[in-house]
Structures are given as C-alpha cells and as structure tokens.
Amino acid sequence: MEAARFEVKPYPEMWESLDMDVPRFDKARQMLGEVYGKMFMSQPNRPEKMAYFDDMISEIFGRRIQEMIDVKKEGRPIVGTFCVYIPEEVVVAAGGVCVGLCGGSPGSIPDAEKILPRNICPMVKSAFGFKVGKICPYFQVVDFVYGETTCDAKKKTWEILDRLVPTHVMEIPQMKNARDKTLWFEEVKDFKTKVEEVCQKTISTDDLAAAIKVINNKRRALQRLTKVRASSPAPISGKDALLIEQIAFYDEPVRFAEKVNELCDELEERARNGEGVIDSSAPRVMVSGTPMALPNWKVHNLIEAAGAVVVNEESCIGTRYFKDLIDENKSTMDEQLDALTDRYMKIDCSCFTPNYERIDQILKEYKDSNAQGILHYSLQFCHTYNIEEIKVREACEKEGIPYLSIESDYSPEDVGQLQTRIEAFLEQIRG
Ligand code: BJ8
C-alpha cells in the first residue's frame, strides 16, 4: 500500500522561545511526518477513532507544548520523568503536568555519544542527546526532571544531566522487603515536597484523591484497550496500540482517557461484529521486555509487515504502566501515600531481585491476550532485561510457548537480520 502524506506541524517561533536548535529540529519534524505517514496512515481498515491520536502526533511539537507553556505560566509545575516508578499522581495533584522524556530516536544519539560512553542503553543516550542538542521541546519546557536509581546507566547519567537541567533522583530500592518499602515511602514524600516547593502550594488530601482518580481512570482506559485486543480477529493493530501507550506519557490525562474509551467503544463493536484489521488466521504475537519509547516502532513494524499482529506489550510502555491501580478509599495523606507506594511497588521491573512476579505476569498476559507466541525484546546493553530473559525463555519452554528473543538498538542496521528471524518465528507459530 502507498505511503499516505502526513505532516507534523511546525511551530518555529515557539521553539525559538524555548531556546531550541530550530533548523535541525525542523528536519527531524519532517522526517517524523514521513515515517509516520508510511507506517501508520497506510494501514488498512484502521479504526476511525484513531483520528485523535493521529492529530496528537501532528501536533506533538505544537499544541501540546503550548498547553504546557500555559500551565507553567500559571505557576504550576512541569516535571519530566524517565521511569514509571515516579508517581505522576503527585504532580497532577499540584495542578501540574508529568511528561515522559524517554528517547526512542537514533537522531539524538550522536549528540549523547560526544559525552557519554557509546556502549550504554540507546534509550538513555537518546534522551540525554535530546537535551544536549536542544532538539526536544518537552525537555526544554520542564521545570525540572526526576530520575531514579533503577539501572546503572540511568543513575549515573542523572549526575551529568544535572549540568543541563535541574535533575533530582528518587532512590528506588532493588528489593521489595519491608525495610525497602519504608525507604520508598520516604522517597515518595520527598518527591511531594519537591513538587510543592516548585509550585509553592501544599497538596491537600482532596487534591491527591482527585489526582489518584484521574490517573486510575487513565489506567482503566488502557486496561480496557488491552482487553479488547484479545478478540480475534484483532480489532486494532499492535502499532496503533503501542502508539496510544506512548501518547499516554505526554497527553492530558482526562482527555486521553476519554479518547481511549471512545476508541474502545468502536473496537468492542468491531469485536462483536467479528471485524478486524487482519484476518483471524494471522499469527498473534505478544511482545515482552524493555519499553519502546516514541518513535521506536521498529519491532512492531517488522512483525506486522510480515503478516502477523501484536496483541500485547508486557513493558513499561505497555501493561506494566497500567495493570495496577491505587486504592481510592484512603482519607489521610499518609494513608494515601502508603497506598500509592504499595501500587508502585507492584511494578515488576527487572532491576529488582528477585523478580518472580514478572515471569508469572508474562504467562498470565500471554493467556489473557490469546497470543500464540512471545517475542522478548531487550534494548542493547540493558543488563537486567537481558539476563532476566533466561528465566522468561525457560518459562516459555516449560509451557511450550513459541519464543524468540531479540536484542536491538535504534539503528536500521539489524533490520534485515531481524526480519529473517521474525519470519522464521512466525513460521514456527503457523506450524
Ligand atoms: S520500571 S523498565 S521505565 S527502569 S532499558 S534505561 S532499565 S538499560 S527503562 Fe525502565 Fe523504569 Fe524499569 Fe520500566 Fe536502563 Fe534497561 Fe535502558 Fe531501561
């Protein structure tokens, strides 16, 4: 099918006011539009309600940035994060915006490699490079960023990033015992204090209760989307679903939940009528592993170009972000923060040891999504996911689940090799 024309809209004056490298960024904008047109707009039988998310991409460097500038003018905080362990409910309770800054583009990596070592995770390099090169309006608009101590690459990069933008760090323990929870709880409280300092406002229990509801509703909408993807034929492509999971990290949460729910109405109707984006005989693949930050669509694109469909992402840009909710029935601030900490402790990132719950969760999601095979995806140099992959593979072998593990980065160099391996994997599923 022919590539459809698509434009990511330019806002050079706004970018200038954010002290960006405008000529260079404008080239990246044009390239994103071309890639998006080719990968997304040419998909057959797309749900109509994807129009909102296409529009979000068209306005990704414009309207949403303007909304954040307006929030900032009112003295409300804009906080950049790199990990789903940072509790966005606290920022929303202060009337602010929490935005995910993880990088999924190879374009900013050379900027990072002028400073950071080359042999570290591409996600860390991509994000850092965006700030160094002044080529990400989201990075330019934040008041401060909040990193965490999940993996070594991130933890040490924050020290260098702090030279370019105020960077605070949340200590995330590496185990989940009672004493780790005590530490975590204190770290969440410190985060709240930091957010309050910036906006010079004390967050009340009512503010936090309302914010917990808002973010729970966003997570509920994404859970609903995941559930309908289990239908056969698949009512939405994996690429579109991944796109929505990526947009979840920068859209306004109430509007986003509303739009995801509208899309789910359409998808549930499709499921009832037995309509899909691809024939029900197409292999159904679940992807598990490291997050795929915008615009990293490489693996989904390869799988779906080979005639299969992705039906689930067990990832932080995926179910790990929204599978758990916060108890909404707590009345004091300490009770609320305790419930919030409990929810965040359920996230099963491979930086924890032991991390048995992730293996169980993968098997559960495999069954729930009616997948027929698991593709484990690890970013290059991500030691924790790469090593935990051993246990995922063993569990799949034990259960007789068709399995493929790949390690990749953002460059196009390994595309041919990945394509061959993915096609062989799909043949295995087809039997
Ligand atoms: S909770 S997965 S968002 S840390 S891929 S930068 S771990 S070397 S992204 Fe993550 Fe939080 Fe865990 Fe989720 Fe390091 Fe690995 Fe790179 Fe990673």
Side-chain angles (χ1 to χ4, degrees):
M1 185 167 285
E2 263 192 38
R5 288 177 68 82
F6 184 86
E7 189 189 31
V8 176
K9 304 239 176 75
Y11 288 84
E13 281 164 28
M14 183 199 294
W15 302 337
E16 199 73 62
S17 74
L18 292 170
D19 187 28
M20 294 181 65
D21 181 341
V22 178
R24 189 170 159 210
F25 181 61
D26 198 52
K27 282 197 196 118
R29 168 195 74 81
Q30 288 174 38
M31 223 185 293
L32 180 66
E34 278 167 33
V35 172
Y36 192 84
K38 216 190 295 176
M39 280 195 195
F40 286 85
M41 304 308 286
S42 58
Q43 296 178 96
N45 202 16
R46 276 181 102 207
E48 276 175 27
K49 296 291 180 186
M50 280 308 295
Y52 171 77
F53 303 98
D54 292 335
D55 187 52
M56 278 302 293
I57 294 297
S58 168
E59 290 288 346
I60 186 173
F61 302 138
R63 194 174 55 220
R64 184 63 185 134
I65 301 292
Q66 187 59 54
E67 286 176 354
M68 291 187 190
I69 293 172
D70 295 344
V71 165
K72 202 170 163 156
K73 276 191 196 140
E74 289 170 17
R76 298 189 272 142
I78 313 285
V79 182
T81 63
F82 303 89
C83 178
V84 296
Y85 280 120
I86 305 297
E88 60 186 299
E89 290 82 358
V90 174
V91 183
V92 172
V97 175
C98 192
V99 57
L101 294 176
C102 280
S105 160
S108 54
I109 288 182
D111 298 79
E113 286 180 344
K114 285 183 196 147
I115 300 168
L116 296 176
R118 292 170 69 94
N119 56 347
I120 60 170
C121 170
M123 182 139 66
V124 175
K125 283 192 288 186
S126 174
F128 183 77
F130 277 128
K131 183 63 201 168
V132 175
K134 299 184 177 182
I135 45 172
C136 172
Y138 291 92
F139 236 127
Q140 297 304 104
V141 82
V142 294
D143 289 295
F144 61 89
V145 303
Y146 226 90
E148 15 61 50
T149 57
T150 46
C151 71
D152 291 352
K154 283 184 172 180
K155 168 167 82 185
K156 297 306 287 182
T157 297
W158 308 146
E159 295 173 21
I160 315 295
L161 184 66
D162 188 43
R163 298 173 185 171
L164 305 170
V165 55
T167 304
H168 307 280
V169 181
M170 177 177 279
E171 180 167 1
I172 304 290
Q174 310 282 287
M175 298 179 84
K176 290 182 179 173
N177 298 318
R179 58 175 171 248
D180 301 306
K181 159 120 192 238
T182 309
L183 168 72
W184 205 326
F185 181 72
E186 292 303 321
E187 289 289 310
V188 168
K189 274 182 154 173
D190 285 356
F191 178 63
K192 176 173 158 285
T193 306
K194 184 74 221 165
V195 171
E196 287 174 332
E197 260 171 39
V198 170
C199 59
Q200 297 187 334
K201 167 192 161 125
T202 304
I203 296 171
S204 69
T205 50
D206 286 349
D207 294 332
L208 189 54
I212 286 173
K213 274 204 181 88
V214 164
I215 303 300
N216 271 352
N217 284 341
K218 167 159 87 159
R219 300 192 205 278
R220 283 187 187 103
L222 289 162
Q223 288 173 0
R224 188 178 164 200
L225 174 62
T226 298
K227 199 164 168 214
V228 72
R229 290 172 73 192
S231 319
S232 179
I236 184 169
S237 70
K239 261 191 303 195
D240 277 337
L242 173 63
L243 177 78
I244 293 166
E245 290 162 344
Q246 291 169 332
I247 290 175
F249 287 87
Y250 68 88
D251 197 5
E252 196 287 316
V254 174
R255 177 177 63 204
F256 174 82
E258 200 181 294
K259 296 297 173 185
V260 174
N261 279 317
E262 283 175 15
L263 171 71
C264 287
D265 291 341
E266 183 183 351
L267 299 183
E268 285 163 4
E269 177 70 26
R270 280 185 163 201
R272 276 192 293 276
N273 298 336
E275 277 173 44
V277 284
I278 193 162
D279 192 79
S280 56
S281 61
R284 300 170 61 88
V285 177
M286 167 172 151
V287 173
S288 163
T290 48
M292 295 168 172
L294 201 112
N296 179 9
W297 303 306
K298 184 172 166 179
V299 169
H300 279 53
N301 194 44
L302 285 171
I303 295 172
E304 299 198 332
V309 61
V310 180
V311 292
N312 192 68
E313 292 79 26
E314 185 277 328
S315 165
C316 287
I317 300 184
T319 54
R320 225 177 288 135
Y321 173 61
F322 53 77
K323 69 181 171 59
D324 306 305
L325 303 178
I326 299 177
D327 187 340
E328 294 179 11
N329 301 308
K330 302 290 175 186
S331 43
T332 69
M333 182 56 73
D334 270 6
E335 282 173 1
Q336 287 175 321
L337 292 177
D338 190 64
L340 183 147
T341 308
D342 278 343
R343 182 261 163 207
Y344 277 83
M345 283 190 80
K346 287 187 192 144
I347 301 170
D348 44 10
C349 176
S350 63
C351 59
F352 279 85
T353 184
N355 193 32
Y356 304 116
E357 52 282 36
R358 177 165 170 244
I359 309 300
D360 296 341
Q361 183 66 23
I362 290 172
L363 296 178
K364 178 181 180 302
E365 290 184 23
Y366 176 75
K367 287 187 189 112
D368 290 352
S369 61
N370 292 317
Q372 296 166 306
I374 294 180
L375 184 149
H376 192 274
Y377 171 75
S378 185
L379 281 167
Q380 216 174 29
F381 306 116
C382 177
H383 304 318
T384 57
Y385 278 91
N386 265 324
I387 295 174
E388 194 158 276
E389 186 274 324
I390 298 168
K391 290 191 169 179
V392 180
R393 178 172 13 103
E394 286 168 353
C396 287
E397 276 167 10
K398 194 165 159 227
E399 297 289 322
I401 298 172
Y403 180 75
L404 173 68
S405 170
I406 62 172
E407 184 185 350
S408 185
D409 61 8
Y410 297 159
S411 79
E413 279 162 27
D414 60 353
V415 162
Q417 189 220 59
L418 289 179
Q419 198 173 358
T420 309
R421 294 182 65 206
I422 286 171
E423 278 167 8
F425 172 55
L426 298 179
E427 277 316 305
Q428 188 195 345
I429 293 177
R430 288 188 180 105

